[in-house]
Amino acid sequence: MTLAVAALAVEGVSHSYGPRKALQDVSLTVPQARFTALLGLNGAGKTTLFSLITRLFHTRHGSIRVLGHPVDREPGEALRRLGVVFQARTLDLDLSVRENLLYHAALHGIGGRAARQQAEAALQEVGLAERARDPARRLSGGQMRRVEIARALLHRPRLLVLDEPTVGLDVASRTAIRRHVRGLVRDRGVAVLWATHLLDEVEATDSIVVLHQGRVLAAGEAGCVVAESRAADIHDAFERLTGGATEASETA
Ligand code: ATP
């Protein structure tokens, strides 16, 4: 597959909860081997979009493709190429760290020695190899996140989507996770969609998508979006685009 095919292509997607429109005609692209930040305040529609990408919800309006595979018509092909870190914690706290990974591997048809080796390698990568036997509940919030990222990568997806992965973590854990995920893009060519309301997590060369009240207001390289908005920086650009909305007070 060539790099010309987007890792993620969302086209004309709308979603409503009863009368409440959560997403309205949303289109965005995550290029292969790039870090793309999905920027939006609480209620922008980020989690709804993730629920559609991961098929928790059925896409009624529009289309979503992962590496060219439509999630509704070719779910197996699409989901095989997709790794997900949800906003809410999803580890089984009673299982050991290793068991959490092996369970995920089994869901993807990886078993036996291959699963054990991949789980160990994945834990080494996130610096938690020595915690493999510990029950997940003994880990800190930042360590749990790192295990969730290791788990999401076990089946070697080409696209990793993360919904507010650093929220609630201390500064050191946030930095470690950001570095690790950016390293995956740089060293392994994984495409990343990183949803956040923390504008400090954006770098000038990142691809960004500004989502506000269910609509995409701007997209492109962060530096270009700032220049096109005639803004001083990303914070200023976000405020201008959203008509004065500011990010939450939590800082990165
Ligand atoms: P947050 O960062 O707070 O999670 P978000 O950007 O992920 O915000 P969503 O959770 O997707 O935004 O919410 C988008 C809109 O849809 C909001 O107006 C929200 O109140 C509404 N919404 C989300 N889930 C539901 C639901 N299950 N039922 C009704 N409305 C919902």
Side-chain angles (χ1 to χ4, degrees), residues 30-89:
V30 176
Q32 289 192 52
R34 288 285 314 258
F35 183 97
T36 299
L38 177 65
L39 303 177
L41 302 176
N42 296 132
K46 305 182 297 296
T47 300
T48 303
L49 182 61
F50 272 60
S51 300
L52 294 167
I53 294 169
T54 56
R55 292 191 86 241
L56 288 177
F57 298 160
H58 177 63
T59 305
R60 291 206 176 79
H61 305 283
S63 74
I64 299 176
R65 290 168 183 264
V66 177
L67 277 304
H69 299 280
V71 296
D72 53 349
R73 283 185 284 119
E74 299 176 24
E77 292 295 320
L79 296 182
R80 192 177 311 151
R81 290 165 173 78
L82 174 68
V84 187
V85 177
F86 290 104
Q87 189 171 4
R89 294 274 142 72

Side-chain angles (χ1 to χ4, degrees), residues 57 77 81 85 107 112 125 133 161 177 179 205-206 215:
F57 298 160
E77 292 295 320
R81 290 165 173 78
V85 177
L107 286 179
E125 248 184 64
R133 289 167 197 271
V161 299
I177 286 170
R179 278 207 190 120
T205 54
D206 289 342
R215 293 180 188 276

Side-chain angles (χ1 to χ4, degrees), residues 120-208:
E120 192 175 328
L123 286 177
Q124 288 221 343
E125 248 184 64
V126 294
L128 289 169
E130 79 286 2
R131 307 299 300 269
R133 289 167 197 271
D134 288 357
R137 71 171 65 254
R138 285 212 207 124
L139 301 182
S140 69
Q143 290 167 337
M144 284 191 199
R145 265 293 183 250
R146 277 148 61 194
V147 173
E148 286 173 332
I149 293 170
R151 182 181 60 176
L153 293 167
L154 259 193
H155 59 289
R156 305 197 197 293
R158 303 304 308 149
L159 169 67
L160 178 65
V161 299
L162 308 98
D163 191 2
E164 306 249 18
T166 60
V167 163
L169 303 182
D170 63 31
V171 173
S173 296
R174 284 180 182 173
T175 305
I177 286 170
R178 285 209 308 266
R179 278 207 190 120
H180 179 60
V181 171
R182 286 184 180 279
L184 296 170
V185 177
R186 192 182 54 240
D187 304 333
R188 281 208 232 154
V190 175
V192 166
L193 180 64
W194 174 284
T196 187
H197 66 272
L198 302 171
L199 303 180
D200 291 342
E201 295 187 339
V202 175
E203 295 180 4
T205 54
D206 289 342
S207 178
I208 64 167

